[in-house]
Amino acid sequence: MEKNKIYTYSTLLLAILLAGYLVNSIKTSIDEEERITTMESKIINKLKMIRSAQISYESINGEYTSDWDKLINFIDSGKIYLIQRREETILLEYGAEETTLYLDTIGSISVIDSLFSNSPNFSSKSLAVVPGLENVKFKMWSGRIEKGGVLVNVVEVRNPKPIDTNRKESNEANIHKPLRFGSRISITTAGNWE
């Protein structure tokens, strides 16, 4: 009878310890997944800001930049011109139409006000830094590739040190690679999180 009590209590204690271990490991896994999701959300927001700046830079300068100093200077001191477009169509005698296009510059707005006015505490100086990794900068590349016999501008910005250790360059699916937007081989500014 005494051996039965010892066996029962030791089994109960083992079951409690095992249950505690399982609950703790599941909670740790859930907490880590939540941390990764939160950090990747911050990185995605920063990549969206960089993408907006790159698209504006390209529309003004005719090419993307891979130089952080040029991009930051553009954000801090660049202007986006406001253009009004007007068309006049004249009906000619023989039934054809002649259309004249007028483009008028009606003013300008600073890049920082245009792109980042809705971003509280925005600092262009910290744009290159990966959130949560203070000593790591996003890798930025720009260039030109030939598509259909035409040279086109392309840009790629990626996180060189993913928060999620499962995100690797060797992954075949783009959505499982480190967070990025753009491409070195395709005409796109889409992010791999979209």
Side-chain angles (χ1 to χ4, degrees), residues 79-144:
K79 300 259 185 228
I80 296 175
Y81 294 97
L82 305 173
I83 309 277
Q84 180 179 26
R85 178 184 166 149
R86 231 176 3 111
E87 292 181 7
E88 283 185 11
T89 304
I90 301 170
L91 187 59
L92 301 174
E93 293 177 14
Y94 48 89
E97 294 180 348
E98 180 181 276
T99 302
T100 307
L101 176 65
Y102 298 99
L103 298 174
D104 296 324
T105 303
I106 57 174
S108 66
I109 186 170
S110 68
V111 173
I112 198 164
D113 289 339
S114 174
L115 299 179
F116 305 111
S117 63
N118 293 334
S119 301
N121 303 323
F122 173 77
S123 169
S124 62
K125 306 297 184 234
S126 66
L127 192 63
V129 178
V130 177
L133 305 171
E134 299 309 316
N135 297 323
V136 179
K137 285 186 171 185
F138 288 103
K139 296 290 183 194
M140 188 164 60
W141 177 88
S142 68
R144 300 185 98 184

Side-chain angles (χ1 to χ4, degrees), residues 61-76:
N61 298 298
E63 64 183 1
Y64 295 108
T65 183
S66 55
D67 183 350
W68 282 110
D69 292 333
K70 284 182 181 177
L71 188 62
I72 290 168
N73 185 44
F74 172 73
I75 292 168
D76 289 339

Side-chain angles (χ1 to χ4, degrees), residues 64 145-147 150 152-154 183-190:
Y64 295 108
I145 61 171
E146 185 179 329
K147 285 291 183 183
V150 177
V152 292
N153 298 318
V154 290
S183 172
R184 293 176 183 230
I185 59 172
S186 178
I187 308 167
T188 183
T189 56

